[in-house]
Amino acid sequence: MYIQVMKATRCPTDELSFTNCAIISAGYFDEKTKHIMVKTSPSSEYVFSVKSYPGMQHGTVGFSLLQRKWAVLSINQDIEVKPYEFNKSTQLIGCITLEVDFLQKKNSTPEAYDTDMMAAEFNMAFSEHAFTVGQQLVFKLEGKKLLGLVVKEMEAADISMLRGGKTSKRTKINLGISMANTQVLFEKAEGSSINLIGKSVGRAAGRQSIINPDWDFKNMGIGGLDKEFSDIFRRAFASRVFPPEFVEQIGAQHVKGILLYGPPGTGKTLMARTIGKMLNSRPPQIVNGPEILNKFVGESEANIRKLFSAAEDEQKRCGVNSGLHIIIFDEIDAICKQRGTMSGSTGVHDTVVNQLLAKIDGVEQLNNILIIGMTNRRDLIDEALLRPGRLEVQMEIGLPNEEGRLQILDIYVSKMRENKKLAADVNLEELASQTKNFSGAEIAGLVRASQSLAMNRMIKASSKVEVDYEAAEKMQVQKSDFMIALANDIKPAFGVSDESFSNYILNGIINFGEPVARVLADGELVVQQTKLSNRTPLVSLLMEGPPGSGKTALAATLSMKSEFPFVKICSPEDMVGYSESAKCQAIKKIFEDAYKSELSCVVVDDIERLLDYVPIGPRFSNLVLQALLVLLKKIPPKGRKLLIIGTTSQKEVLQQMEMVSIFNTHIHVPALSTGDQLCSVIEDFDCFTVSERATVQKKLSGKRLCIGIKKLLVLLELVRQTEEGFRVPKLLCLLEEEAGLE
């Protein structure tokens, strides 16, 4: 690296002095030289960013007054100058703290200076600029206000996560080069009267470097999404850490769009807003999808253009030094539906999609934008929007696992714990294990419900509502409050339908002999296979038998005993009056909900009724049949397991429809066929006296019959209403008529 002896002189123009660069004559150094090291004495060296100017005398270097003051330079002083290269693995500035004051005291004003706006302008003016701790600068704000700055402290950018490693501790540096997204903080100089406002004032406690995958999101009110945040940061913001010329050298392009999708209440909107707060960017624009639409022709498209206008103007002015503009679309499916699917509409949706596509990745590409879209209906969004270059990073924000639920609970009870309003018997680990398939919003609802129960105890029961304030001071939310709220108030949308299943097991399971024990044992094996096997993510079981043999009750019992987080029944009872297409959509939704849970069970009850099958005709719904044929053998997403239990009384019919072969396992559920089995049911049924039971057993011993358990229980209830002494004859008479008693 060659050394030149040059002379120090004044900066040739005021405008060049505002650049805070050393000024040299054009062509004196190689064009690649961006920075120089100036040696003013054997022990004093200073690094400056350099700019060429045709009017500079050859062999001289121009410095502004503040630069000469900082480096202790005099006019015509001989200095040694050589090109300087920064080590971009250790000398990139992640954060810079600047002392600020009026450049001239006579120009001081009481007006407030927005540090957020100052930080944005500073980054645009001084991207890839050399800075040294103690350096004095002049800062021209909004093209007219002159401020004096002193570099107080700098920290190196943490880019270790780009290599797949953990973040290192913050490293303070004395010399570094800034980036377009360096975090800038301003502090008022001692004795200054300048009025600073905004978030970029002073040192922010707990501040993190530009990209930090180990960010403690609990401090931001988010839990259970650490991995998702890390993945988004690694994919969407890695390229934004490096200087623009490095990105150009490798031909990389910044990610322009992120799509967050998943069930309602899982934290998509909260995550998007947090990304906007954490990044060193312009304040994010948050737009609800429906707000874009306007009844006047062309206004909807104009609303899209307005969102991008600030980014376009800044890119024209600042080029690669432009700051990042974030646009957050909540409910993006409202404006970006598949084009051509809105039959009978005016076509506004299609033109809005076209306008958005053109702005994100059209002919005039913007490189300073990041679109974050959120939806729980990813299937509705136009495919062109999901291709690479547009909403390229697509992240599913699913239901939190047990560790995530514990984080969320910890966030929502933190204030109660701090103020000693949380009882000692509340075990968050236990609550996290009991809230399977709860979304973040549902966990928040659970905490609110338990708080309301605790507060309700403080209300005096009298003619008017009064609060016992003395007791309220000592009030604590107890474990019992959470348990009551869990049992009665808050039910997960993607959880177990207790009420639905309880209707199918009103009388429990009556074990009348070996057939029932065999069915339960075989069913348990299928449940264990679903839980434990990594080779079969989809397991299906068909329970077939005569009408009334207890198939639905047995299926409901197996699914409830499985303790799967998601258990749902697909019953024809819930689809009475549905058209064929509506029925297909309802069945499809049940399966789609099941795919959102790690472990799910779907009971498809009375399949022939779902298919609208009747023996007269015959007639059945081919549309529903084809939907079931697809869904029953569709493998769930990676990392998810699904157990399907089907029930039917028409196995032969399903055989002809090629549906039986889809199920992995078949279990026959028989009706009661012997007198001994019937007597076993009577033993469990508190209806007959001891002598009556003995008479029934004697009469039925060795007899053959055929009756479903469901029908038998109805007959026994009828017999219960008969006067004592006439019950046995009545029962035998009914069995001869209904069960073919021989």
Side-chain angles (χ1 to χ4, degrees):
M1 192 172 289
Y2 55 92
I3 300 174
Q4 298 282 337
V5 177
M6 306 177 73
K7 286 190 177 293
T9 185
R10 292 185 177 86
C11 186
T13 69
D14 288 342
E15 284 302 317
L16 286 174
S17 68
F18 298 145
T19 66
N20 292 292
C21 291
I23 310 301
I24 60 174
S25 61
Y28 193 86
F29 284 110
D30 188 273
E31 290 183 359
K32 294 182 179 178
T33 301
K34 303 288 185 183
H35 315 282
I36 58 173
M37 177 175 279
V38 176
K39 190 172 184 179
T40 59
S41 68
S43 59
S44 301
E45 292 180 332
Y46 301 88
V47 176
F48 294 90
S49 293
V50 69
K51 188 179 284 290
S52 61
Y53 179 64
M56 279 297 295
Q57 184 178 345
H58 205 66
T60 61
V61 185
F63 297 98
S64 67
L65 177 62
L66 285 181
Q67 288 173 321
R68 298 199 304 273
K69 183 179 177 182
W70 169 57
V72 194
L73 285 166
S74 58
I75 303 299
N76 293 323
Q77 178 181 340
D78 289 332
I79 54 177
E80 293 182 2
V81 180
K82 63 180 179 181
Y84 183 83
E85 288 289 333
F86 281 93
N87 183 344
K88 292 183 179 177
S89 63
T90 59
Q91 289 185 301
L92 290 176
I93 302 173
C95 177
I96 184 170
T97 303
L98 302 160
E99 281 190 349
V100 58
D101 196 0
F102 296 107
L103 188 65
Q104 297 175 325
K105 299 296 182 183
K106 64 180 181 180
N107 293 332
S108 60
T109 60
E111 69 173 297
Y113 284 77
D114 186 348
T115 54
D116 297 328
M117 183 268 292
M118 289 167 60
E121 287 213 18
F122 184 91
N123 274 331
M124 286 189 288
F126 301 118
S127 178
E128 300 181 70
H129 200 90
F131 290 102
T132 307
V133 173
Q135 182 176 353
Q136 298 180 32
L137 311 162
V138 60
F139 180 34
K140 192 173 185 180
L141 184 64
E142 296 178 333
K144 54 184 179 180
K145 302 171 186 175
L146 298 180
L147 301 175
L149 305 178
V150 178
V151 180
K152 183 178 179 183
E153 186 180 272
M154 296 189 298
E155 292 175 2
D158 182 9
I159 58 173
S160 59
M161 60 86 63
L162 300 178
R163 309 184 193 102
K166 293 289 184 181
T167 54
S168 58
K169 293 182 180 178
R170 298 174 191 159
T171 305
K172 292 185 179 181
I173 54 177
N174 188 61
L175 172 65
I177 180 173
S178 64
M179 303 176 291
N181 53 3
T182 291
Q183 186 171 9
V184 183
L185 298 176
F186 294 95
E187 288 185 1
K188 185 193 297 187
E190 188 175 352
S192 174
S193 61
I194 193 168
N195 181 18
L196 300 179
I197 60 171
K199 295 185 223 174
S200 300
V201 175
R203 291 196 58 82
R207 173 173 45 81
Q208 305 289 324
S209 56
I210 294 170
I211 293 184
N212 188 350
D214 292 333
W215 176 281
D216 184 4
F217 295 106
K218 290 192 287 186
N219 293 337
M220 304 294 291
I222 298 178
L225 296 174
D226 296 39
K227 182 181 181 300
E228 286 81 358
F229 263 107
S230 292
D231 291 343
I232 289 172
F233 270 40
R234 189 160 32 246
R235 184 75 192 283
F237 305 113
S239 62
R240 298 185 186 275
V241 174
F242 292 96
E245 74 273 8
F246 177 83
V247 177
E248 288 179 9
Q249 287 171 9
I250 63 174
Q253 290 187 339
H254 299 312
V255 167
K256 297 178 183 177
I258 301 172
L259 179 68
L260 306 177
Y261 65 94
T266 51
K268 298 183 294 295
T269 304
L270 194 56
M271 176 185 274
R273 288 176 177 168
T274 302
I275 290 174
K277 290 177 185 175
M278 289 172 55
L279 290 177
N280 186 23
S281 64
R282 305 294 175 268
Q285 301 181 71
I286 301 174
V287 184
N288 291 319
E291 293 177 357
I292 293 293
L293 302 178
N294 193 297
K295 64 181 179 179
F296 296 107
V297 175
E299 283 299 310
S300 300
E301 296 86 337
N303 290 337
I304 292 288
R305 291 193 292 272
K306 287 175 188 175
L307 295 174
F308 292 85
S309 60
E312 289 174 333
D313 293 342
E314 190 170 307
Q315 181 159 298
K316 287 176 183 176
R317 285 188 292 112
C318 307
V320 294
N321 294 330
S322 172
L324 179 63
H325 292 254
I326 297 178
I327 304 172
I328 298 174
F329 283 97
D330 204 358
E331 305 297 341
I332 194 172
D333 55 281
I335 60 169
C336 294
K337 287 186 173 66
Q338 293 272 358
R339 286 170 290 182
T341 59
M342 303 290 288
S343 58
S345 72
T346 59
V348 172
H349 281 85
D350 290 1
T351 55
V352 168
V353 175
N354 293 338
Q355 182 69 79
L356 186 59
L357 294 176
K359 284 297 179 184
I360 297 175
D361 190 29
V363 176
E364 296 181 3
Q365 293 188 354
L366 292 174
N367 212 25
N368 61 343
I369 58 164
L370 178 66
I371 309 296
I372 304 178
M374 292 160 290
T375 180
N376 49 31
R377 292 299 305 275
R378 180 175 174 269
D379 55 301
L380 296 180
I381 297 177
D382 192 275
E383 291 179 358
L385 199 63
L386 302 179
R387 72 155 174 82
R390 288 167 181 164
L391 297 185
E392 183 170 341
V393 178
Q394 296 168 30
M395 181 68 62
E396 181 179 7
I397 310 301
L399 299 170
N401 57 19
E402 189 166 329
E403 182 183 352
R405 295 194 297 272
L406 180 59
Q407 286 185 15
I408 297 168
L409 281 165
D410 193 52
I411 290 166
Y412 284 112
V413 304
S414 58
K415 279 200 173 180
M416 289 192 287
R417 188 189 291 117
E418 288 172 12
N419 296 300
K420 298 181 179 179
K421 297 297 182 184
L422 189 68
D425 64 346
V426 177
N427 187 327
L428 296 186
E429 287 82 2
E430 183 182 343
L431 280 173
S433 67
Q434 292 179 344
T435 50
K436 293 177 181 176
N437 277 26
F438 273 64
S439 67
E442 287 161 348
I443 291 174
L446 176 67
V447 174
R448 286 195 297 270
S450 61
Q451 290 168 339
S452 67
L453 287 166
M455 288 187 286
N456 191 57
R457 292 198 301 271
M458 303 300 109
I459 299 175
K460 296 178 182 178
S462 60
S463 57
K464 59 181 181 178
V465 176
E466 294 181 353
V467 177
D468 187 349
Y469 290 104
E470 291 183 7
E473 288 295 322
K474 301 176 183 178
M475 182 204 80
Q476 286 189 324
V477 180
Q478 301 171 355
K479 178 181 178 180
S480 58
D481 298 321
F482 280 98
M483 293 299 105
I484 294 170
L486 197 59
N488 302 325
D489 295 335
I490 306 297
K491 299 293 181 184
F494 303 98
V496 180
S497 304
D498 291 321
E499 294 179 3
S500 300
F501 281 95
S502 61
N503 293 332
Y504 296 106
I505 324 175
L506 290 173
N507 300 301
I509 297 298
I510 300 173
N511 193 341
F512 56 79
E514 185 272 337
V516 178
R518 176 180 52 79
V519 170
L520 290 173
D522 291 348
E524 280 291 333
L525 287 175
V526 174
V527 170
Q528 291 303 316
Q529 177 189 355
T530 310
K531 281 183 180 178
L532 305 176
S533 175
N534 294 322
R535 294 172 177 260
T536 51
L538 175 65
V539 179
S540 53
L541 165 67
L542 179 63
M543 304 182 77
E544 52 86 14
S549 57
K551 301 180 294 296
T552 303
L554 287 166
T557 301
L558 287 172
S559 58
M560 294 297 286
K561 282 186 176 180
S562 70
E563 297 183 349
F564 285 7
F566 179 92
V567 179
K568 192 87 171 180
I569 189 162
C570 177
S571 172
E573 291 181 6
D574 302 325
M575 303 182 192
V576 174
Y578 280 25
S579 65
E580 286 184 307
S581 57
K583 191 179 288 188
C584 288
Q585 288 298 322
I587 296 171
K588 182 184 176 187
K589 184 179 185 306
I590 290 172
F591 278 84
E592 286 179 343
D593 290 349
Y595 299 146
K596 294 181 174 72
S597 174
E598 292 183 3
L599 205 56
S600 307
C601 177
V602 174
V603 177
V604 185
D605 188 37
D606 217 354
I607 296 175
E608 63 274 10
R609 292 284 76 79
L610 284 172
L611 297 174
D612 298 332
Y613 169 78
V614 286
I616 302 172
R619 180 189 178 276
F620 67 93
S621 170
N622 189 53
L623 195 64
V624 178
L625 171 62
Q626 298 304 323
L628 280 173
L629 288 174
V630 171
L631 293 171
L632 290 174
K633 59 183 179 183
K634 182 180 178 182
I635 303 296
K638 187 177 180 181
R640 314 287 165 84
K641 294 182 178 181
L642 174 62
L643 169 63
I644 302 172
I645 303 177
T647 70
T648 181
S649 302
Q650 301 284 346
K651 182 182 177 183
E652 296 78 11
V653 173
L654 298 190
Q655 191 91 46
Q656 295 173 12
M657 296 178 182
E658 300 181 353
M659 182 175 281
V660 173
S661 59
I662 289 178
F663 289 89
N664 306 135
T665 310
H666 308 151
I667 295 179
H668 178 67
V669 181
L672 285 83
S673 58
T674 67
D676 293 337
Q677 292 174 350
L678 192 143
C679 289
S680 297
V681 176
I682 292 175
E683 287 287 338
D684 287 346
F685 200 80
D686 186 19
C687 176
F688 297 95
T689 63
V690 175
S691 60
E692 286 175 333
R693 286 202 296 270
T695 304
V696 170
Q697 190 166 6
K698 184 177 178 181
K699 293 281 188 183
L700 297 180
S701 179
K703 298 286 187 180
R704 305 292 299 176
L705 62 133
C706 183
I707 186 171
I709 183 68
K710 189 175 179 181
K711 183 71 172 178
L712 177 60
L713 293 177
V714 173
L715 295 181
L716 290 176
E717 277 297 329
L718 180 61
V719 171
R720 187 199 291 273
Q721 316 308 319
T722 308
E723 294 181 12
E724 191 173 343
F726 296 96
R727 290 174 182 164
V728 174
K730 183 63 175 176
L731 175 63
L732 295 174
C733 180
L734 290 172
L735 289 175
E736 287 178 3
E737 294 176 359
E738 302 289 345
L741 180 63
E742 297 177 0

